[in-house]
Amino acid sequence: MHLLILIHLLRALSSTYAAPTTQKPLLSTSHEDGLEDNLTRGSSGRPLRGRFLHISDLHPDPFYKYHSSSSQEDACHRGEGPAGILGAETTDCDSPISLINATFKWIDDNLKDEIDFVIWTGDSARHDNDEQIPRTVEQVASLNRMVVNKFVEVFGKEENINDTDPTNDFIIPIIPTWGNNDILPHNILAKGPNLWTKRYLDIWRKFIPEEQRHSFERGGWFYVEVIPNKLAVLSLNTLYFFDSNAAVDGCADPSEPGHQHLEWLRIQLQFLRQRGMKAILMGHVPPARTESKMSWDETCWQRYTLWLHQYRDVVVGSVYGHMNIDHFMLQDSHSLDLLSLLGTNEAARRTSIGDEINVQSAASYLTELRSEWSHLPKLPKVSSKKGNGHSKEEKFLKNIGGPRGERYSLSLVSPSVIPNYFPSLRVIEYNITNAEIRSPTSTILKARVDGHDRNLLELCRVVDRERRNEDLGIAILCNQAMDGSIDYKAKRPKFKIPRGPSKLSPPGPAYSPQTFSWLGYTQYYANLTEINDDFTNTTMPRTMTEGVVGSGWKDGKHHGKHPKKSNPSPSKFEFEIEYDTRDDKIFGLEDLTVKSYVTLAGRIGQYKPKKGDRISTQISDEKSSAQKPEGHDLLESGKKHKKKKKHRKHPKHEKRKAINRVWFTFVRRAFVGSRDDSDLHDEFGQPIGLFQDS
């Protein structure tokens, strides 16, 4: 009886929150087809490649002028200065249209036939950074239409462009999402339906499945089954979670669009679990949260973290943009708090990160991330004493949520196309091999019985104490709800918590290598200093922090210089590989599972790293250029310089910075290799003496 009620409830909710549907199938949707063949071959015989493109923060600017000034008052729109024909790298200027065209041409020439779908995480209009040329509603919309047309040029199906089905116009699915600069005024999006949800319903009509257009108009969210009946990408409207959006107020109140959006997400994840499917989450503003900083409202972060934890058997991973720096973040289920979930926590608020992070705020933010990671549970050293090491390892595994690290969830943040540093693209590889595909019906009954949502108190009563203690994140909530200190029913009687995976279920693809698990990614960058070819190499540019004015605007490392030629003659535009996680000797990621990143975060957080993770204490006096191969000097340091380290007694060496080379690589990559190594050592290093006795 209860099962029938649940089924009817889910069907009723589907009319509000949009039932599963498809955009442009890679595979046949027929259940009669061979499932194994469907996983490895796309429509019209196109095979799956096991890769997808993540592109973010293009920020095209039709007013950009090459060889203009990069100062804040000119914004690469006028004056004379170092702005290159293809962009002003390391500045806060937006992207010239030439960079957008060159980027899509490179994708056409190099990636078009090698990827299965595209995740496009927003900010496809210029910033409102020039008082002399204010943005308008039509300008923001037209720039987004322009980017849509670039996708049509590269991925469009010529024979279908003008047919009656706008979602059949592409050879692969393209999934967009909102950026905080895709609206006017920026950051501010009210509850829908509104002007912007209606406009983007029209602009993105080619991408949004017809059955989901009503819910998109209400809130700007939708999803696409990129591999029908197997894998879906959920496009989140993170502006309703964004702490800088003054038009909304978090996710605790059922009347708020953030609350409604997370309810939509919960229901979709439940549907996908019932169907035996997996999900990728995408959004613009990432769920950044450190001791003193945050990008989402706390009530939204709490519910999102709870959803990811409870649906960890469904979610493959999540990708975001917005911050322009290359990094990752972990969501810790042990940070769940019932009062915060209910929106009644009056604890001290974190400072909002706000708009795109600049060089100065990035340093503080990354340093706080590292500080938090320094407190992660540490893998014990191998002990020669019988039984001792084994018990420590068991404690370590319990502290991280078991052998797969299921206490945590993971969010990857990709750098941007806009050349605040260097333009970037990311291609993620996922597992499509060795697939033992079972019919989804084999798991539906179990999911319906064991996976439906329950009132929190009901859940805590039916889940025995032993099982709750195995999942400390849920135990925290249950203990708070059941100890009598909180009048839970009076606070929010309708709050429901999803059931987690069945104990009989295997770990999800984010935790255990399997079909759809992420294997690695290739990070590409375009070295605009070399490509623009406007400056000789005889004079080293100043450091990036010297190019930051009081307001936080970056005028760039070439500020004050004049190009060597009056007419630009750039080199051939191309993206190069900055690094590839699969052959990266420094990070050493075996795959992109949560456990791999928990281990990496722990290594980054070490202030006294193991010998293999140390940089030589002597840092070259010569500033390294951004053109040096990524990781070159780091690989030459470490063990093979270990013996020489004892003989370095020159006084000047005491002024040098000696740092964890995993941390150093992390911050170097955060800025896409655009900052000088000596600058990074000065800003992110520690004194040499810290390591002498370690």
Side-chain angles (χ1 to χ4, degrees):
M1 184 65 178
H2 292 292
L3 179 58
L4 291 175
I5 293 173
L6 174 63
I7 293 172
H8 286 301
L9 175 61
L10 291 174
R11 286 175 178 170
L13 287 169
S14 68
S15 63
T16 302
Y17 293 112
T21 186
T22 61
Q23 186 197 71
K24 161 64 186 72
L26 279 171
L27 313 170
S28 170
T29 59
S30 172
H31 292 290
E32 303 299 323
D33 296 337
L35 290 171
E36 247 182 87
D37 184 64
N38 278 349
L39 189 64
T40 57
R41 287 200 141 319
S43 61
S44 303
R46 177 187 173 98
L48 287 177
R49 302 296 188 179
R51 303 181 195 91
F52 67 88
L53 170 66
H54 180 199
I55 184 170
S56 192
D57 295 80
L58 287 86
H59 289 290
D61 184 357
F63 304 103
Y64 181 100
K65 293 182 179 179
Y66 68 84
H67 292 178
S68 62
S69 169
S70 61
S71 65
Q72 185 174 13
E73 58 269 21
D74 294 322
C76 293
H77 292 162
R78 53 194 161 267
E80 295 183 359
I85 185 67
L86 286 158
E89 74 276 18
T90 75
T91 75
D92 276 343
C93 294
D94 285 325
S95 302
I97 302 302
S98 58
L99 175 60
I100 305 302
N101 291 337
T103 296
F104 276 90
K105 184 179 186 307
W106 189 88
I107 293 171
D108 193 7
D109 293 341
N110 296 274
L111 296 180
K112 175 181 179 179
D113 297 324
E114 301 301 323
I115 55 178
D116 300 328
F117 53 93
V118 177
I119 288 178
W120 165 26
T121 50
D123 264 9
S124 300
R126 74 178 185 94
H127 290 91
D128 205 357
N129 55 14
D130 189 345
E131 293 181 354
Q132 297 186 34
I133 313 176
R135 299 198 312 167
T136 65
V137 169
E138 186 50 45
Q139 182 190 112
V140 171
S142 65
L143 288 171
N144 270 274
R145 288 192 189 96
M146 184 202 76
V147 177
V148 169
N149 289 335
K150 300 307 296 185
F151 279 110
V152 171
E153 288 177 17
V154 176
F155 298 104
K157 295 167 62 177
E158 293 183 4
E159 67 278 15
N160 285 352
I161 288 299
N162 295 315
D163 67 5
T164 57
D165 181 6
T167 62
N168 191 34
D169 289 349
F170 298 94
I171 60 174
I172 60 174
I174 315 290
I175 308 97
T177 194
W178 304 74
N180 62 307
N181 288 286
D182 292 326
I183 52 179
L184 189 69
H186 79 294
N187 297 343
I188 309 301
L189 182 67
K191 184 176 182 178
N194 57 47
L195 166 71
W196 290 108
T197 61
K198 293 176 181 178
R199 275 188 176 263
Y200 280 100
L201 179 60
D202 178 61
I203 295 170
W204 293 341
R205 185 166 292 271
K206 298 176 185 296
F207 308 124
I208 302 170
E210 183 176 0
E211 298 86 349
Q212 297 190 59
R213 290 173 186 166
H214 176 70
S215 62
F216 180 88
E217 187 175 358
R218 287 184 58 241
W221 49 71
F222 70 103
Y223 79 93
V224 174
E225 291 188 23
V226 292
I227 302 178
N229 304 307
K230 299 292 177 289
L231 179 66
V233 175
L234 281 69
S235 177
L236 305 181
N237 181 1
T238 55
L239 299 187
Y240 287 147
F241 311 149
F242 194 23
D243 194 57
S244 295
N245 183 1
V248 297
D249 188 19
C251 299
D253 192 317
S255 66
E256 285 293 329
H259 180 280
Q260 295 164 10
H261 189 5
L262 285 174
E263 281 299 288
W264 173 87
L265 175 60
R266 177 182 62 82
I267 290 167
Q268 302 312 317
L269 292 175
Q270 182 63 34
F271 275 134
L272 295 175
R273 175 186 278 169
Q274 291 172 2
R275 298 175 62 198
M277 292 182 63
K278 305 303 177 185
I280 295 172
L281 307 185
M282 59 172 282
H284 180 66
V285 181
R289 182 180 184 266
T290 63
E291 182 178 1
S292 69
K293 297 177 176 63
M294 62 186 296
S295 58
W296 287 14
D297 182 272
E298 179 68 8
T299 59
C300 302
W301 186 93
Q302 287 277 335
R303 288 185 181 232
Y304 176 81
T305 299
L306 177 58
W307 280 199
L308 260 61
H309 184 66
Q310 296 301 86
Y311 289 105
R312 60 191 182 275
D313 55 325
V314 177
V315 177
V316 178
S318 58
V319 293
Y320 296 91
H322 176 66
M323 297 181 75
N324 300 325
I325 53 175
D326 179 354
H327 68 297
F328 66 94
M329 53 192 70
L330 299 170
Q331 289 80 49
D332 184 357
S333 65
H334 287 197
S335 296
L336 292 172
D337 176 77
L338 183 58
L339 289 178
S340 296
L341 279 164
L342 300 177
T344 58
N345 194 345
E346 298 181 0
R349 288 174 55 84
R350 294 171 171 82
T351 302
S352 176
I353 292 175
D355 288 347
E356 290 87 340
I357 199 164
N358 59 39
V359 173
Q360 293 167 319
S361 58
S364 173
Y365 166 72
L366 293 173
T367 300
E368 282 196 16
L369 272 184
R370 186 192 189 193
S371 177
E372 290 191 358
W373 292 344
S374 70
H375 300 294
L376 288 171
K378 294 177 177 60
L379 182 66
K381 297 179 180 179
V382 177
S383 175
S384 59
K385 297 181 180 180
K386 292 184 178 180
N388 186 37
H390 182 66
S391 61
K392 288 183 177 180
E393 183 176 359
E394 286 181 341
K395 182 179 179 180
F396 165 75
L397 293 177
K398 182 178 180 180
N399 285 339
I400 65 169
R404 306 293 184 180
E406 293 180 77
R407 165 179 169 178
Y408 302 96
S409 55
L410 171 69
S411 299
L412 299 183
V413 182
S414 179
S416 53
V417 172
I418 181 179
N420 291 155
Y421 306 110
F422 283 136
S424 299
L425 299 171
R426 176 172 292 179
V427 174
I428 297 178
E429 181 175 350
Y430 65 103
N431 188 356
I432 59 170
T433 61
N434 301 320
E436 181 182 350
I437 305 301
R438 295 173 298 173
S439 170
T441 57
S442 64
T443 59
I444 288 178
L445 182 60
K446 180 63 178 174
R448 285 176 176 168
V449 173
D450 194 43
H452 66 273
D453 303 338
R454 294 175 181 264
N455 177 282
L456 178 59
L457 287 176
E458 182 184 358
L459 174 69
C460 294
R461 290 180 182 126
V462 299
V463 179
D464 58 79
R465 181 170 297 277
E466 179 183 356
R467 184 169 173 185
R468 276 195 279 124
N469 288 339
E470 290 176 0
D471 192 338
L472 296 182
I474 300 303
I476 291 171
L477 299 182
C478 287
N479 291 339
Q480 291 175 341
M482 300 182 74
D483 66 4
S485 61
I486 300 174
D487 186 0
Y488 167 74
K489 290 186 177 181
K491 296 293 184 183
R492 193 77 66 206
K494 294 183 179 180
F495 176 67
K496 293 183 180 294
I497 183 170
R499 286 292 299 271
S502 165
K503 290 189 71 173
L504 302 177
S505 300
Y511 299 91
S512 175
Q514 58 191 264
T515 305
F516 303 135
S517 291
W518 292 353
L519 305 174
Y521 65 79
T522 304
Q523 191 63 45
Y524 293 95
Y525 79 111
N527 190 325
L528 291 187
T529 303
E530 290 186 347
I531 294 170
N532 284 326
D533 194 25
D534 281 329
F535 304 98
T536 62
N537 294 324
T538 55
T539 304
M540 290 300 297
R542 59 182 174 169
T543 64
M544 191 178 294
T545 51
E546 291 176 317
V548 179
V549 297
S551 63
W553 173 274
K554 296 197 306 291
D555 52 23
K557 61 183 180 182
H558 301 308
H559 180 67
K561 296 183 179 182
H562 295 282
K564 61 185 180 182
K565 295 172 285 189
S566 58
N567 294 320
S569 55
S571 303
K572 180 182 178 182
F573 181 90
E574 61 180 351
F575 283 93
E576 308 170 59
I577 295 177
E578 182 191 3
Y579 65 96
D580 188 323
T581 62
R582 289 159 296 187
D583 57 16
D584 173 19
K585 294 181 174 62
I586 299 176
F587 278 8
L589 290 168
E590 294 183 4
D591 49 38
L592 304 187
T593 57
V594 172
K595 175 70 177 300
S596 293
Y597 271 97
V598 170
T599 302
L600 174 61
R603 292 170 62 209
I604 290 171
Q606 293 302 303
Y607 293 97
K608 291 186 177 182
K610 297 177 181 178
K611 292 180 179 179
D613 285 346
R614 297 181 190 174
I615 293 180
S616 170
T617 54
Q618 183 175 12
I619 307 301
S620 172
D621 289 328
E622 183 178 345
K623 288 183 178 180
S624 65
S625 67
Q627 290 75 35
K628 182 180 289 188
E630 208 277 349
H632 176 75
D633 59 336
L634 301 185
L635 293 175
E636 290 184 340
S637 64
K639 289 186 177 180
K640 77 177 186 178
H641 291 299
K642 180 173 62 175
K643 294 181 180 179
K644 295 181 180 180
K645 178 178 176 181
K646 297 179 181 179
H647 303 291
R648 293 182 183 128
K649 296 183 179 180
H650 195 284
K652 72 176 183 178
H653 295 150
E654 296 301 314
K655 300 179 182 179
R656 299 300 171 190
K657 304 294 183 182
I659 62 176
N660 176 334
R661 71 170 182 162
V662 188
W663 162 241
F664 182 83
T665 301
F666 177 71
V667 295
R668 175 194 254 176
R669 291 174 177 175
F671 300 107
V672 199
S674 64
R675 295 185 63 175
D676 298 324
D677 282 0
S678 59
D679 185 25
L680 293 176
H681 280 292
D682 287 340
E683 187 160 13
F684 296 102
Q686 305 98 37
I688 291 174
L690 184 63
F691 297 120
Q692 289 179 344
D693 298 323
S694 59

